Amino acid sequence: MRPAVDRRIRVLIVRRRLEEVAATLVERATGRRPAQHRVVRRRLLLLSAGVPAERWPGVHAVARQAASVYEATSAVLHSNCAFGDVPEHLVREWEAVVVRAESECPAAGA
Amino acid sequence: MLSEVTFAEIADLVRREVERGYESEKQEGRRRLLGVVDGLAADEGDDVDARAVQGRTWRVAQIEVSGIGGISRLVPSPVTFLPVRGITVIRGLNGQGKTSLARALECALSGRRDLADEVSGELWNAALLTQGSAVGTVSVGLVSGSARLDVTVDFPRDGEAGIRAALDEGSGAEPVVLGSGWQRALAAARASYSYGALQSRLVESRALQGFLEELLLLGPAWEQVRAAVSDRAERATEAKRTVENALTAGKRREREIRERISAHGVVDPPPSILWPRVQAGLDADAWLRSLDLGAESNGSVRVSGDHEQRIADIRCALIDAEARLDLAEQALDAPGIAGAAHHIEQILAIDAIDDAVCPLCGAASAWRDHAREVVAGLRDRSEAAGLVMGALTDLRDWATAELEPLLASEITGGPEAELTAFREATAQGCHARSAAHACAGPLLAAVTSQPYRDWLETMRSWSQAAVAWRDELVTITRTCADVMRENMAAAADAGVWKKAQDTLDDLQLTLRQRRQDAVTRQMHAALTRMLPDAAVELSAIRHQGTIKQQRGVDVTLTIGGQEATLGMLSSGQRNALLLTPLTVLDGAAPFGFLVVDDPVHALDDTRVDLLAQEFSRLAGERQVIVLTHDPRLEEHLRARHADLTVVELYRDPVARTVSWTRHTEPWQSLLDDAREIRKSATTDGWAYTEPLMSVVAGLCRTAVDGAIRQATITRAVQRSEDVEQALTDLADALTTGARIKLVTASAGGKTELPALERARAGHLRFWNEGAHGQLDETVDLDAVLDVTEAACRELADHDWAQG
């Protein structure tokens, strides 16, 4: 498989994993899993909800990074920006953010 | 477009000057200039590489690279191009081998590795070869009509590049030499344009000026004529200078010698040398002949080497003769008896007289024997007297030849009184026992005395010095004559070639003015096109200083009517300005292609679109190959060129191989990828955590979104609308469904885009839900891909200028 295609699929997977994190957060908060993946960026901010004060800044930063990555993957997958290859380092960075987000929301990454 | 000045044009200009001129040194200079131009034009015609240049419009068909820059090899190799007018975009992220490819092409065409140095200095030179490669090789295939030219260059790690070229005109490839004609054409065409190279000049103070200066140059033919005339003028001037220096050195040495002679104060100096002026017609041999530098020319005496020996010989001869004379006279003991001897001989001849009785006295005696003794004694005396006279004559002659000139010199001393007495005596004859004979003794005594020898020694030393100085003068003049013989032919032309240079300067002023006006006009127009909203105007590009003392190029800019500097432009505006020279390059044969490396720097969407517009214009007349990392340029070019060719590079950082694939349209490659993934997943398995269907759905939706984005740009471009605003409007539509609505409305309704409408109605839900992992397992993926492709194709093929 061409490296560019591989990266594009990984971007899609990043986005999907973030959607799962967002859905899990909603489920935790409301007790009900949402039917659709909507307002994902806002839902990701729930990562820092209820976190003890001493951990809150760090977790909130992860939440904001995750939201930002979700927006970036949207731009790529919806062709909001010019169609082009996504650099490998960027995909890795996004994947690292997802791992951090999932670690704050264990059920999502399970 | 700017074209280089040709030899024919230069010849016409000079011929016109010759026709207008009148006979003078300047007119001769014009004729010489015309001769140079005609000669160079003839040489160019004979150039062995003319077949590779004349009547050709080369376009790039393929490139093979190995061991150059970041490319150990290309996969597959070579990279191929359609050798036609139009645009090819070579895209790739940073570090994928784009610049290596562009530089490899440029270095291969020129056969010069130092081009790379001009781009980024020693760093690039060091990295010209891929790490570990002993030699880098670039092969470029060029096509012009039915002819094909393959140029291969090997760049060894150490040593010169070796360039090989083969031309195939339909009857098989033949080696061809890419000589000066090729290089000139290449330099004039500026077929490779590296923004990076130009930008690197920005760190220098003169920045843009250097490039503009190149644009203002009149081309290689002009430079060649100038170089040839300068070379001749320099040679003539140098020859003249050499002769003048030789004459000056000669004069200085003559002065030194005269000072030395003068310091002696005895020997007369030789006549002054009449040094010539360096001018036409100066004949070195005639000048040498006119100089009176013979052996006696210095007026000094010369003491012969056998001077003393001659004196000794003469003296000995005289002494011997005198001794013999004395003996003879003693034997006779009766001076004046010679007359009687005659009579005795007569008597002796009478045989009848009795030998035993003296016929005079009658006494019995051997009178005949006695008589014979007397006769013999007389004869001896006479001979001795002759020898004395001979010695005296020799003395007289020697004194006249040698002694008198010595006495006439400035050096006092010498037997003047003795010589005078002897000379007066010899006027009466040189007989033995004469006055001359009497005076010879004192003279000989004087010339053999010690004082005489001392005087002679002094004389001799001065004489030798005088001869040495004369010889030195002869050497000096001969050296000058040699220099004159060697250089006068060239030196005599110094004035004429100076006039030829003057004529060339006059013509250059005229041409330069025309060129400045043309460059200013064209760059101003290009800048207005690139920065229509910035109120930036380029009002003048002028050479500073005289032809001989050029002081760079002055760029006069105004922003909003106020005079401005380059530093007042934003970086995007300045970059746009740096790209404008592209538009004034001549796209004429033999290089019908333009390779532009990395032109998008700090340009906003509007500027990218304007740049795409310029490239599109250039692509109407030549093959344009643009290497860029910025996908926006590709989009904006595609808006103008539906058949845009895109080559994507990917470099394996470990193996350093650079793979390339050709795409038609981005959405098409996405759908091709989706089909490929679907196929390989069934055969090789699926390694991703996300289900295959989800990935395919995601790729389909991205393809549709991409096709809509491209359609939005194309529509704005074709309708001359604001591209940036159109993209902002599109971004405001957050979902794919909303975007489909937007683009459908702009096309004039659902009936205008039926395939898109079918896809929306049938598969939008799948695209969305699939992309979000909410799968409909019953969907036929092949059908979805077909419908998606049809929708994308419809968007791409739609005539967006209408409506």
Side-chain angles (χ1 to χ4, degrees):
Chain A
M1 188 177 298
R2 288 196 305 118
V5 181
D6 170 68
R7 286 194 287 272
R8 190 163 285 280
I9 292 173
R10 282 160 59 204
V11 172
L12 180 70
I13 292 171
V14 163
R15 181 178 164 81
R16 284 288 302 112
R17 287 166 68 184
L18 287 176
E19 284 174 344
E20 278 305 307
V21 170
T24 304
L25 288 169
V26 172
E27 189 177 3
R28 269 192 201 167
T30 64
R32 194 162 54 88
R33 194 170 179 80
Q36 287 187 320
H37 295 299
R38 286 183 176 173
V39 288
V40 174
R41 278 183 294 159
R42 266 177 278 167
R43 286 173 178 175
L44 285 171
L45 295 179
L46 286 172
L47 262 181
S48 56
V51 172
E54 66 275 14
R55 289 193 61 235
W56 191 88
V59 177
H60 187 64
V62 172
R64 290 184 64 181
Q65 283 174 354
S68 171
V69 167
Y70 188 80
E71 187 177 11
T73 59
S74 276
V76 171
L77 297 171
H78 277 293
S79 296
N80 280 342
C81 55
F83 177 85
D85 196 2
V86 187
E88 175 66 30
H89 73 272
L90 209 56
V91 179
R92 284 193 187 156
E93 194 177 294
W94 292 350
E95 286 172 337
V97 169
V98 172
V99 169
R100 283 202 294 276
E102 286 173 343
S103 71
E104 295 298 331
C105 182
Chain B
M1 287 291 175
L2 293 174
S3 304
E4 64 177 274
V5 181
T6 64
F7 286 124
E9 286 169 324
I10 301 171
D12 277 350
L13 287 168
V14 180
R15 203 164 281 120
R16 226 172 293 156
E17 293 288 314
V18 171
E19 285 164 4
R20 284 203 309 232
Y22 52 88
E23 284 310 318
S24 63
E25 195 177 37
K26 183 155 192 172
Q27 180 73 339
E28 181 56 27
R30 292 186 191 113
R31 284 203 194 94
R32 296 280 182 96
L33 176 57
L34 189 57
V36 168
V37 179
D38 286 341
L40 288 172
D43 288 347
E44 187 187 48
D46 295 339
D47 206 330
V48 288
D49 62 357
R51 282 195 305 152
V53 177
Q54 286 173 3
R56 307 292 186 193
T57 305
W58 295 115
R59 303 198 197 282
V60 181
Q62 65 175 59
I63 306 173
E64 283 182 83
V65 180
S66 64
I68 297 285
I71 306 175
S72 68
R73 66 187 170 87
L74 290 165
V75 182
S77 188
V79 179
T80 55
F81 301 88
L82 281 177
V84 294
R85 284 179 296 185
I87 297 185
T88 298
V89 171
I90 299 180
R91 75 170 182 218
L93 300 174
N94 290 336
Q96 301 303 306
K98 298 185 301 296
T99 297
S100 292
L101 195 66
R103 288 176 184 174
L105 174 67
E106 192 176 1
C107 289
L109 292 178
S110 66
R112 289 172 52 200
R113 66 194 301 161
D114 56 349
L115 281 177
D117 303 343
E118 291 169 16
V119 175
S120 8
E122 286 301 314
L123 279 177
W124 166 249
N125 188 31
L128 177 65
L129 301 189
T130 308
Q131 199 175 8
S133 294
V135 62
T137 302
V138 189
S139 292
V140 180
L142 302 175
V143 168
S144 173
S146 59
R148 183 182 171 89
L149 180 66
D150 287 299
V151 183
T152 301
V153 184
D154 296 320
F155 294 99
R157 187 162 290 282
D158 302 308
E160 292 294 310
I163 183 166
R164 305 184 298 280
L167 179 66
D168 187 347
E169 293 176 296
S171 52
E174 290 176 35
V176 62
V177 177
L178 302 181
S180 56
W182 173 271
Q183 294 296 347
R184 281 198 303 277
L186 190 66
R190 299 181 184 93
S192 289
Y193 184 96
S194 166
Y195 179 85
L198 183 53
Q199 198 192 33
S200 69
R201 297 184 184 179
L202 286 174
V203 298
E204 296 168 8
S205 59
R206 290 178 65 202
L208 177 65
Q209 293 187 357
F211 189 78
L212 293 176
E213 212 164 341
E214 287 172 21
L215 279 182
L216 293 175
L217 293 178
L218 299 172
W222 181 268
E223 292 307 316
Q224 236 181 315
V225 171
R226 178 162 280 288
V229 172
S230 296
D231 182 49
R232 285 164 173 77
E234 273 171 29
R235 266 189 285 154
T237 307
E238 184 58 34
K240 187 177 179 186
R241 200 176 298 126
T242 303
V243 174
E244 284 172 345
N245 288 346
L247 293 177
T248 304
K251 285 177 192 170
R252 192 177 59 246
R253 290 190 61 193
E254 186 202 3
R255 198 163 51 243
E256 288 166 4
I257 291 167
R258 287 188 184 284
E259 282 168 6
R260 270 151 53 199
I261 295 172
S262 192
H264 269 285
V266 176
V267 179
D268 287 341
S272 292
I273 295 170
L274 191 61
W275 295 99
R277 280 186 59 216
V278 182
Q279 58 189 7
L282 175 59
D283 182 343
D285 294 309
W287 172 68
L288 263 189
R289 281 194 299 274
S290 73
L291 300 175
D292 183 19
L293 283 176
E296 308 303 328
S297 62
N298 59 352
S300 67
V301 290
R302 179 178 285 207
V303 181
S304 64
D306 61 348
H307 185 90
E308 288 90 339
Q309 186 59 47
R310 287 289 313 283
I311 294 172
D313 291 347
I314 292 169
R315 185 165 174 270
C316 285
L318 185 60
I319 289 169
D320 288 349
E322 283 174 336
R324 188 171 164 184
L325 181 63
D326 286 346
L327 281 174
E329 285 176 350
Q330 280 172 14
L332 287 172
D333 195 27
I337 205 167
H342 170 73
H343 300 296
I344 291 169
E345 278 188 317
Q346 296 302 313
I347 294 168
L348 281 172
I350 303 169
D351 293 336
I353 302 173
D354 186 357
D355 290 343
V357 180
C358 172
L360 296 179
C361 65
S365 67
W367 67 273
R368 282 189 189 273
D369 292 340
H370 299 154
R372 283 192 183 101
E373 283 174 12
V374 170
V375 170
L378 288 172
R379 195 173 287 139
D380 280 350
R381 195 268 170 194
S382 176
E383 283 174 11
L387 288 172
V388 169
M389 190 168 71
L392 292 174
T393 305
D394 284 348
L395 181 62
R396 181 198 64 196
D397 293 345
W398 170 84
T400 303
E402 289 203 29
L403 190 55
E404 281 182 22
L406 296 182
L407 287 169
S409 78
E410 298 290 329
I411 302 166
T412 55
E416 200 161 349
E418 289 84 350
L419 178 64
T420 303
F422 179 68
R423 196 164 46 216
E424 286 171 2
T426 54
Q428 308 301 315
C430 294
H431 306 292
R433 308 299 178 199
S434 64
H437 190 177
C439 291
L443 179 59
L444 281 170
V447 296
T448 54
S449 67
Q450 188 57 44
Y452 180 80
R453 278 198 290 276
D454 293 342
W455 177 76
L456 203 61
E457 194 53 42
T458 306
M459 186 75 69
R460 183 169 274 142
S461 70
W462 291 128
S463 172
Q464 283 168 348
V467 168
W469 293 330
R470 187 195 62 83
D471 290 348
E472 216 172 323
L473 284 174
V474 168
T475 305
I476 291 166
T477 51
R478 282 184 183 159
T479 303
C480 286
D482 288 343
V483 173
M484 279 190 257
R485 276 188 214 100
E486 197 176 325
N487 293 284
M488 265 321 290
D493 285 347
V496 174
W497 285 115
K498 173 74 180 60
K499 296 295 179 191
Q501 276 185 309
D502 290 346
T503 303
L504 209 54
D505 286 347
D506 293 344
L507 292 175
Q508 184 161 339
L509 277 178
T510 308
L511 288 169
R512 196 171 75 171
Q513 187 60 48
R514 284 186 208 161
R515 193 94 170 168
Q516 285 171 183
D517 293 347
V519 169
T520 303
R521 198 169 50 249
Q522 292 171 24
M523 280 193 60
H524 172 71
L527 192 63
T528 308
R529 287 197 299 272
M530 289 286 287
L531 300 172
D533 50 351
V536 177
E537 294 208 358
L538 190 66
S539 48
I541 300 173
R542 281 188 302 267
H543 272 296
Q544 294 294 291
T546 62
I547 285 180
K548 286 175 187 161
Q549 294 175 317
Q550 291 187 6
R551 294 197 302 268
V553 175
D554 180 45
V555 181
T556 308
L557 272 180
T558 60
I559 300 178
Q562 300 293 313
E563 198 162 319
T565 63
L566 289 174
M568 293 166 74
L569 297 174
S570 74
S571 56
Q573 287 172 335
R574 191 176 52 190
N575 290 341
L577 173 65
L578 290 176
L579 289 166
T580 54
L582 266 182
T583 62
V584 296
L585 299 177
D586 191 356
F591 295 101
F593 61 86
L594 173 67
V595 180
V596 188
D597 183 26
D598 211 8
V600 181
H601 284 258
L603 300 184
D604 57 27
D605 283 347
T606 304
R607 233 56 55 186
V608 171
D609 188 57
L610 292 167
L611 181 61
Q613 183 179 309
E614 287 299 307
F615 283 147
S616 297
R617 196 172 58 74
L618 292 169
E621 61 196 37
R622 59 178 131 173
Q623 178 190 26
V624 177
I625 299 173
V626 184
L627 300 100
T628 182
H629 67 281
D630 194 325
R632 293 178 301 163
L633 183 59
E634 178 190 333
E635 285 181 341
H636 289 259
L637 286 169
R638 191 178 295 287
R640 294 169 171 82
H641 295 268
D643 58 346
L644 183 76
T645 303
V646 178
V647 173
E648 184 172 6
L649 299 185
Y650 170 71
R651 180 172 179 270
D652 183 326
V654 179
R656 301 193 187 96
T657 55
V658 173
S659 311
W660 64 276
T661 47
R662 182 178 286 112
H663 300 296
T664 47
E665 294 178 86
W667 57 264
Q668 181 72 63
S669 60
L670 278 178
L671 295 177
D672 290 346
D673 287 341
R675 284 198 170 88
E676 188 62 31
I677 288 167
R678 179 169 163 30
K679 206 165 105 186
S680 63
T682 53
T683 54
D684 304 336
W686 184 246
Y688 295 94
T689 55
E690 196 66 12
L692 169 69
M693 197 166 277
S694 176
V695 169
V696 171
L699 289 173
C700 283
R701 195 177 70 170
T702 307
V704 172
D705 279 333
I708 291 172
R709 178 181 164 88
Q710 184 64 60
T712 304
I713 296 170
T714 306
R715 177 179 175 276
V717 167
Q718 291 185 357
R719 294 186 186 183
S720 302
E721 293 172 356
D722 185 341
V723 178
E724 213 165 346
Q725 184 57 50
L727 287 173
T728 304
D729 293 345
L730 182 67
D732 287 343
L734 296 177
T735 65
T736 304
R739 289 166 190 217
I740 291 173
K741 259 189 202 166
L742 190 69
V743 77
T744 302
S746 67
K750 293 176 182 174
T751 54
E752 295 296 321
L753 300 171
L756 181 64
E757 177 54 22
R758 262 198 310 281
R760 187 196 65 78
H763 303 290
L764 178 61
R765 193 171 159 206
F766 167 74
W767 292 336
N768 280 331
E769 291 182 353
H772 290 289
Q774 296 154 326
L775 302 169
D776 180 351
E777 300 288 349
T778 61
V779 167
D780 176 355
L781 283 183
D782 289 329
V784 173
L785 284 167
D786 289 344
V787 169
T788 306
E789 184 168 354
C792 292
R793 171 61 55 205
E794 186 177 65
L795 285 166
D797 291 346
H798 187 75
D799 182 2
W800 293 101
Q802 304 300 317

